[in-house]
C-alpha cells in the first residue's frame, strides 16, 4: 500500500514537473519570419537539442544499470517523428524522454546510499 | 554540511571494511523466520508453492510427470558427447562435473570475477575451440539441467573470500536498490510484501530463490536459468534488463545464492 502511494505521488510529481517545464518550442511559434524553411529548421534543431540531452541522461542511467524501458521507447518514437518531419510530435516525445531519463538518473543517485536502509540487521 | 559528508564517507568506508556475508545471511534468514513464522526455512526451496496449499497441490501433480525430464535426459547425452578435439565437459569440471552445482557461482581468484555454472560451461567450450551456447537457448538449459540434477540433495556451500567481497557487495546492492519506473527493489517484492499477491501470483521468499535452477517454466515453454528470471523481474517494474551473464547479474546471483547457503538443491524444477 505504501508503495502504491509512493508510485501515485511520484506520478503526480512527474505530471506537475512535466507541465511546469517551459515549452521551448513557444519561441518558434512567435517567430514572424516569412521564410517557412527557417522555422522548420529551428523547430527541428530544438527537438534535436532536447533529444541530445535525453540521450545523454539515458546513457548516464544505463551506465549505472538504472535505465528505464520507457525512456528507450520514447527516444525511438521521438526520433521517428522527427525523421517523418513531425516536429510537434517529436518535441512531445523528446520532452517525455528527457523527463523519464532525468528521473532515472535521480533514482540512481538516490539509490547510491538509500539501499543500505533496506538490508535486514 | 562538510561534517555530514565526512560522516557519510566514514560510514561508507567503515561498512565496507566490516562487510560480513555470513552476518548478512543470518539476518536474512531471521527476517523470513519472523515474517513467515509458519514456514520452515528449508521449505522455501519450493518458492511460492511453499506458501499456498492449493497451488502446491496443483504443482505436486505436475511434478509427478516432470516437464524437465526430457531436458535432463538430453542434457546427459549432450554432456557426454566429445568435443572435436577429443576432450569433453568432464575435463573442465571438478568430479567430472557431477554433483558440483552447490559450489556455483564461485569467485575465480585468477580472473577476478564471479563464475556461474552457465558461464563455466561456455568457458569450457571456449577452451576447447567450441562455439559458445546461447544463454537462453535449449542446449544450455539441458546441459545445466543435467548438472543440476546430479547435484540434487547437496547443500549450497558458496564461499566469499576477501577478494570477492566487492563482487558480493555489488550483488547485494543490486538486490536492495530500487529500479525502474515503478521504483521497486527486489526486496520490495520478495521481502516487504513476501507471501502477498501480485496479479494472482504469490510472491516467494528470496531464501530459496537459488535452489531449483534451471527451471522449466510453462510461460517460457522451455527450461531456463535464474538470470532469465532476473530479466523478467527487472522488466516488470519498467527497468531495463541487463545481458545474461553480465557482471551485474553474475554478482546478483552470487549474493542471492550466498543467502541460500546451507539450503538443499532441488533443481531442475517446474514453475508457472
Amino acid at each position: 500500500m505504501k508503495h502504491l502511494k509512493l508510485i501515485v505521488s511520484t506520478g503526480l510529481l512527474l505530471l506537475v514537473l512535466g507541465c511546469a517545464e517551459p515549452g521551448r518550442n513557444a519561441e518558434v511559434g512567435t517567430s514572424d519570419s516569412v521564410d517557412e524553411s527557417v522555422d522548420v529548421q529551428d523547430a527541428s534543431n530544438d527537438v534535436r537539442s532536447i533529444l541530445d540531452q535525453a540521450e545523454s541522461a539515458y546513457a548516464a542511467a544505463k551506465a549505472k544499470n538504472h535505465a528505464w524501458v520507457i525512456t528507450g521507447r520514447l527516444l525511438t518514437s521521438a526520433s521517428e517523428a522527427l525523421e517523418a518531419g513531425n516536429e510537434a510530435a517529436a518535441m512531445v516525445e523528446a520532452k517525455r524522454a528527457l523527463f523519464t531519463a532525468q528521473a532515472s538518473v535521480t533514482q540512481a543517485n538516490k539509490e547510491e546510499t538509500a539501499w543500505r536502509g533496506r538490508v535486514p540487521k | 554540511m562538510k561534517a555530514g559528508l565526512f560522516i557519510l564517507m566514514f560510514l561508507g568506508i567503515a561498512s565496507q571494511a566490516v562487510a560480513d556475508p555470513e552476518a548478512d545471511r543470518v539476518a536474512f534468514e531471521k527476517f523470513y523466520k519472523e515474517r513467515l513464522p509458519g514456514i520452515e526455512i528449508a521449505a522455501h526451496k519450493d518458492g511460492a508453492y511453499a506458501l499456498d496449499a492449493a497451488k502446491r497441490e496443483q504443482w505436486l501433480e505436475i511434478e509427478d510427470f516432470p516437464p524437465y525430464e526430457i531436458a535432463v535426459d538430453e542434457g546427459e547425452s549432450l554432456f557426454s558427447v566429445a568435443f572435436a578435439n577429443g576432450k569433453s565437459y568432464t575435463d573442465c569440471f571438478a568430479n567430472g562435473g557431477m554433483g558440483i552445482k552447490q559450489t556455483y557461482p564461485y569467485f575465480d581468484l585468477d580472473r577476478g570475477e564471479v563464475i556461474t555454472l552457465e558461464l563455466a560451461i561456455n568457458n569450457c567450450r571456449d577452451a576447447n575451440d567450441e562455439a559458445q551456447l546461447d544463454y537462453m537457448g535449449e542446449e544450455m538449459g539441458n546441459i545445466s539441467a543435467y548438472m543440476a540434477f546430479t547435484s540434487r540433495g547437496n547443500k549450497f556451500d558458496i564461499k566469499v573470500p576477501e577478494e570477492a567481497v566487492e563482487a558480493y557487495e555489488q550483488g547485494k546492492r543490486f538486490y536492495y536498490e530500487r529500479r525502474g519506473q515503478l521504483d521497486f527493489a527486489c526486496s520490495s517484492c520478495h521481502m516487504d510484501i513476501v507471501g502477498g499477491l501480485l496479479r494472482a501470483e504469490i510472491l516467494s521468499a528470496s531464501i530459496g530463490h537459488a535452489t531449483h535452477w534451471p527451471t522449466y517454466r510453462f510461460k517460457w515453454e522451455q527450461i531456463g536459468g535464474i538470470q532469465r528470471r532476473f530479466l523478467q523481474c527487472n522488466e516488470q517494474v519498467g527497468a531495463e534488463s541487463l545481458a545474461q551473464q553480465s557482471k551485474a547479474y553474475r554478482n546478483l546471483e552470487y549474493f542471492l545464492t550466498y543467502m541460500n547457503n546451507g539450503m538443499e538443491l532441488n533443481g531442475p524444477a517446474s514453475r508457472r
Side-chain angles (χ1 to χ4, degrees):
Chain A
M1 208 53 219
K2 229 168 73 193
H3 294 292
L4 201 67
K5 264 192 212 146
L6 193 73
I7 295 164
V8 171
S9 55
T10 337
L12 284 177
L13 187 70
L14 295 189
L15 271 176
V16 172
L17 289 174
C19 296
E21 213 175 282
R24 289 197 43 165
N25 48 353
E27 296 153 31
V28 179
T30 57
S31 159
D32 282 330
S33 165
V34 250
D35 186 351
E36 278 255 303
S37 67
V38 172
D39 254 16
V40 171
Q41 199 55 48
D42 280 358
S44 116
N45 282 344
D46 262 14
V47 177
R48 256 280 128 229
S49 133
I50 303 273
L51 260 179
D52 286 348
Q53 290 175 53
E55 260 155 19
S56 71
Y58 180 56
K62 227 180 167 79
K64 295 181 173 197
N65 295 329
H66 264 278
W68 294 1
V69 175
I70 181 102
T71 311
R73 286 194 194 133
L74 289 167
L75 282 171
T76 309
S77 53
S79 304
E80 279 169 5
L82 191 60
E83 263 166 48
N86 188 349
E87 269 84 18
M91 185 53 106
V92 171
E93 300 289 273
K95 280 186 176 169
R96 284 188 186 149
L98 177 58
F99 190 74
T100 59
Q102 283 171 340
S104 66
V105 169
T106 304
Q107 179 186 57
N109 291 339
K110 181 168 168 265
E111 291 305 308
E112 297 248 340
T113 50
W115 67 272
R116 289 192 185 276
R118 297 178 199 120
V119 183
K121 301 267 163 3
Chain B
M1 191 59 210
K2 246 188 186 159
L5 251 170
F6 180 75
I7 290 169
L8 270 179
M9 275 170 66
F10 176 74
L11 281 175
I13 293 161
S15 56
Q16 288 245 307
V18 298
D20 183 349
E22 192 47 23
D24 287 349
R25 196 196 60 75
V26 170
F28 204 71
E29 192 175 307
K30 181 168 144 262
F31 172 89
Y32 287 110
K33 268 188 189 148
E34 289 174 0
R35 178 57 70 91
L36 302 164
I39 316 281
E40 292 284 323
I41 287 299
H44 287 296
K45 65 179 194 281
D46 293 336
Y49 306 125
L51 307 177
D52 182 278
K55 290 197 166 156
R56 182 175 183 82
E57 196 72 21
Q58 284 176 0
W59 173 70
L60 285 174
E61 272 171 30
I62 290 167
E63 289 267 326
D64 275 344
F65 302 95
Y68 47 77
E69 208 161 34
I70 301 168
V72 173
D73 287 349
E74 287 189 0
E76 181 171 11
S77 35
L78 285 167
F79 192 86
S80 56
V81 171
F83 299 137
N85 65 4
K87 295 201 168 180
S88 74
Y89 288 115
T90 52
D91 298 305
C92 294
F93 293 97
N95 198 34
M98 297 299 94
I100 56 161
K101 194 175 194 286
Q102 68 281 0
T103 58
Y104 284 82
Y106 70 94
F107 190 83
D108 187 307
L109 293 173
D110 296 329
R111 288 173 173 255
E113 62 177 345
V114 169
I115 309 287
T116 61
L117 187 65
E118 288 86 350
L119 187 69
I121 289 170
N122 261 345
N123 285 347
C124 175
R125 297 182 63 87
D126 255 356
N128 289 289
D129 298 318
E130 296 286 330
Q132 297 241 332
L133 300 179
D134 175 1
Y135 287 114
M136 299 228 249
E138 202 89 50
E139 200 169 332
M140 180 58 87
N142 294 347
I143 291 168
S144 59
Y146 172 60
M147 292 179 81
F149 188 74
T150 66
S151 312
R152 272 191 175 182
N154 296 347
K155 290 184 171 162
F156 270 122
D157 183 20
I158 305 300
K159 304 260 186 326
V160 182
E162 214 175 299
E163 296 85 341
V165 166
E166 198 186 320
Y168 167 88
E169 283 287 314
Q170 292 289 327
K172 174 175 158 187
R173 181 175 159 168
F174 197 101
Y175 182 86
Y176 290 107
E177 272 181 346
R178 289 180 181 272
R179 294 199 142 64
Q181 204 174 2
L182 294 189
D183 205 33
F184 272 73
C186 308
S187 60
S188 310
C189 283
H190 294 293
M191 295 182 86
D192 298 352
I193 48 175
V194 61
L197 276 175
L198 190 86
R199 286 191 231 107
E201 286 195 284
I202 294 175
L203 288 161
S204 57
S206 282
I207 201 139
H209 263 174
T211 58
H212 53 283
W213 300 94
T215 285
Y216 183 93
R217 276 198 76 195
F218 288 91
K219 189 174 164 180
W220 298 338
E221 298 181 333
Q222 197 191 319
I223 200 152
I226 192 170
Q227 295 195 6
R228 184 163 180 187
R229 185 71 236 198
F230 293 169
L231 175 157
Q232 256 173 3
C233 280
N234 274 160
E235 289 181 353
Q236 70 182 345
V237 298
E240 275 192 3
S241 56
L242 308 178
Q244 297 288 294
Q245 302 300 325
S246 58
K247 204 161 207 165
Y249 273 2
R250 277 185 279 138
N251 291 343
L252 174 62
E253 187 178 334
Y254 189 43
F255 163 76
L256 202 56
T257 312
Y258 189 88
M259 291 299 104
N260 288 200
N261 248 1
M263 293 186 80
E264 196 178 292
L265 279 76
N266 60 338
S270 69
R271 293 286 188 269
R272 276 277 152 218

